[in-house]
Amino acid sequence: MTSRHQEGAANSAEDRGGRLPLPTRAGGLGGAVPRSSALLLLPGKISAPSDQLQQPRQSATHARLDGGPGARRQMELQDLMHISRARKPAFILSSMRDERRTRDHLLCLDGGGVKGLVIIQLLIAIEKASGIATKDLFDWVAGTSTGGILALAILHSKSMAYMRGVYFRMKDEVFRGSRPYESGPLEEFLKREFGEHTKMTDVKKPKVMLTGTLSDRQPAELHLFRNYEAPECVREPHVGQNVNLKPPTQPSEQLVWRAARSSGAAPTYFRPSGRFLDGGLLANNPTLDAMTEIHEYNQDLIRKGQGSKVKKLSVVVSLGTGRSPQVPVTCVDVFRPSNPWELAKTVFGAKELGKMVVDCCTDPDGRAVDRARAWCEMAGIQYFRLTPQLGTDIMLDEVDDTVLVNALWETEVYIYEHREQFQKLIQLLLSP
């Protein structure tokens, strides 16, 4: 089915009572449900779904949608209309956040390259349901790699509907040729979006931290690019141990575009950004590192006699870029071969083992999520992990529009299937 036919089907469904079809296994449309549920909820509505809602006929892993430009334009216009209709003036929301809220909210965004589109779609749903921009729902935002770019976009008041369009344009500019890609197009993109001379501390709310990997030492160390002064208790690199180790740049001098570039310097995709590699090597899911940072920040306030400024966390929201399907591995055996057949087997095993090691180091799900959930439960913090199961393994540098729009559609179905969890989250985010 072409994009034009799908748009016509959606419009005719709307004419029949504002009901939007859901995807089926064959890629068609069926199982009509109210538009407010297929796109989560309209702004300001957090009540329970209507009894008329129907379950999608198939899971998100079988959902498919033609990725033509018409479908993307329609999606962008709908989201901009819904969000702008409910968005309140920034100064009012900032005042509400500072004066009414007694506890802090933390948003954590995983790395994942162009799959950051999944995070964008999740944030669009949250903005629609709350009627409030992401920037005014959270007090802390942590991001890694593509999540770091989105954290900065939130800080600089860029709408997620706008960022979705930016990502579709950016991939064609940045992922050209073969890996490793030229760094110039990515850096120009970041300068264009955030400014060439903008500093991290130019915008102070919400507090934002981006992860990076200091690779000029062994072992490498995690570094946080902040828009606030680091707490004194943070164990920064031990400069005194080696005269060749430079101290980190202060937040007031740190360029925003360079912080984003450093956090997203994925090995084999881009060359290092100075002494920095991608933050995903050490914290592809930055939740626990962000919680540690907030605890140390609060402890520093107490030591300085500013305990009245301390706000404990009440909600942690962790957004992923989608889980890839689990596949069997036949061999990871590496040994000294005695014949050509064994040599081929060893080479294949080394390749599979190398991929497994990288995947284990950068896996944002699994035990990383289990630990974050357990820590939050022990501390009495509400924890939400939101990431859809994807039908295919999507590369960080995927440029096929159809593949990416399919991932967005799978995310929409995931939002519908987990609508009760989303409603609970929105209620907590909107409570004082």
Side-chain angles (χ1 to χ4, degrees):
M1 181 181 288
T2 65
S3 298
R4 184 175 300 171
H5 291 162
Q6 288 168 337
E7 288 175 13
N11 291 335
S12 62
E14 221 174 342
D15 294 339
R16 292 195 300 271
R19 302 169 76 82
L20 183 68
L22 282 176
T24 62
R25 179 186 296 271
L29 297 171
V33 298
R35 171 179 292 277
S36 60
S37 298
L39 298 178
L40 186 59
L41 298 168
L42 292 179
K45 295 185 178 181
I46 56 174
S47 56
S50 165
D51 293 338
Q52 297 176 348
L53 296 187
Q54 301 178 22
Q55 297 292 339
R57 294 183 181 179
Q58 298 294 339
S59 66
T61 57
H62 300 296
R64 290 293 181 268
L65 186 66
D66 186 353
R72 294 208 308 272
R73 283 198 299 271
Q74 183 188 36
M75 193 179 292
E76 289 176 8
L77 288 174
Q78 291 172 346
D79 291 335
L80 285 170
M81 179 182 68
H82 291 316
I83 295 170
S84 61
R85 184 180 297 166
R87 184 162 288 173
K88 301 174 179 63
F91 73 92
I92 294 178
L93 293 173
S94 179
S95 176
M96 290 170 56
R97 177 186 61 214
D98 293 340
E99 295 179 8
R100 292 183 54 197
R101 192 175 299 159
T102 58
R103 295 197 168 211
D104 279 350
H105 300 161
L106 167 63
L107 174 65
C108 300
L109 309 176
D110 289 4
V114 74
K115 292 189 294 181
L117 283 163
V118 170
I119 292 178
I120 290 173
Q121 202 67 13
L122 293 168
L123 289 173
I124 287 174
I126 292 172
E127 287 189 345
K128 282 183 183 180
S130 65
I132 298 175
T134 304
K135 178 176 183 177
D136 298 297
L137 289 172
F138 296 93
D139 307 275
W140 297 82
V141 183
T144 292
S145 195
T146 192
I149 293 176
L150 293 176
L152 292 172
I154 292 168
L155 178 67
H156 290 269
S157 302
K158 297 180 182 292
S159 79
M160 289 300 106
Y162 167 76
M163 289 305 297
R164 183 171 58 195
V166 166
Y167 263 55
F168 272 102
R169 294 192 298 272
M170 176 268 292
K171 66 178 176 58
D172 295 324
E173 295 178 17
V174 173
F175 300 131
R176 288 182 175 180
S178 58
R179 294 164 46 185
Y181 301 106
E182 291 291 332
S183 301
L186 174 60
E187 293 177 359
E188 288 303 313
F189 158 75
L190 294 172
K191 291 176 184 177
R192 188 169 64 244
E193 289 301 319
F194 301 115
E196 189 171 354
H197 305 290
T198 309
K199 305 293 179 60
M200 286 293 291
T201 53
D202 286 354
V203 183
K204 299 185 182 299
K205 293 182 180 181
K207 293 183 176 67
V208 166
M209 64 188 91
L210 277 63
T211 66
T213 300
L214 277 167
S215 60
D216 62 344
R217 63 208 66 197
Q218 184 68 30
E221 293 187 21
L222 182 70
H223 176 72
L224 297 181
F225 297 95
R226 308 170 174 89
N227 68 337
Y228 56 92
E229 290 300 320
E232 292 181 1
C233 58
V234 171
R235 298 171 181 83
E236 292 291 353
H238 304 293
V239 180
Q241 294 182 357
N242 191 319
V243 294
N244 295 321
L245 297 182
K246 297 185 297 183
T249 303
Q250 294 300 311
S252 59
E253 299 298 324
Q254 178 65 59
L255 294 172
V256 168
W257 75 265
R258 193 173 291 280
R261 169 71 176 89
S262 299
S263 182
T268 76
Y269 288 89
F270 298 102
R271 295 183 65 183
S273 177
R275 54 182 173 157
F276 288 100
L277 289 173
D278 195 292
L281 293 176
L282 295 177
N284 208 25
N285 181 337
T287 304
L288 290 179
D289 297 287
M291 292 177 64
T292 302
E293 168 79 354
I294 294 171
H295 172 72
E296 292 177 341
Y297 183 88
N298 287 337
Q299 291 299 111
D300 189 37
L301 287 177
I302 293 173
R303 282 194 300 271
K304 293 177 178 177
Q306 302 177 33
S308 59
K309 296 183 180 180
V310 172
K311 288 186 179 180
K312 294 183 178 181
L313 282 175
S314 63
V315 178
V316 172
V317 180
S318 174
L319 303 185
T321 57
R323 298 188 303 274
S324 298
Q326 195 172 46
V327 296
V329 175
T330 56
C331 178
V332 292
D333 190 15
V334 179
F335 57 96
R336 180 176 297 175
S338 59
N339 56 60
W341 167 248
E342 288 187 348
L343 175 61
K345 188 176 180 181
T346 297
V347 171
F348 180 79
K351 180 181 178 181
E352 290 295 312
L353 180 60
K355 185 178 185 301
M356 181 176 292
V357 170
V358 172
D359 288 345
C360 288
C361 292
T362 61
D363 182 20
D365 294 295
R367 294 302 291 175
V369 172
D370 294 340
R371 287 193 294 269
R373 180 178 289 109
W375 286 23
C376 286
E377 288 177 355
M378 288 187 290
I381 301 170
Q382 295 287 336
Y383 175 78
F384 294 83
R385 173 64 176 176
L386 305 173
T387 187
Q389 176 68 55
L390 301 178
T392 58
D393 185 15
I394 301 177
M395 299 297 292
L396 276 64
D397 56 350
E398 180 62 65
V399 295
D400 189 315
D401 282 356
T402 301
V403 173
L404 297 177
V405 173
N406 282 337
L408 294 181
W409 192 241
E410 289 170 336
T411 306
E412 282 296 308
V413 176
Y414 171 85
I415 292 167
Y416 171 76
E417 292 176 340
H418 295 79
R419 59 193 180 278
E420 293 183 1
Q421 186 179 10
F422 273 81
Q423 287 177 305
K424 180 182 177 181
L425 169 60
I426 297 305
Q427 290 172 346
L428 289 170
L429 292 177
L430 294 180
S431 61

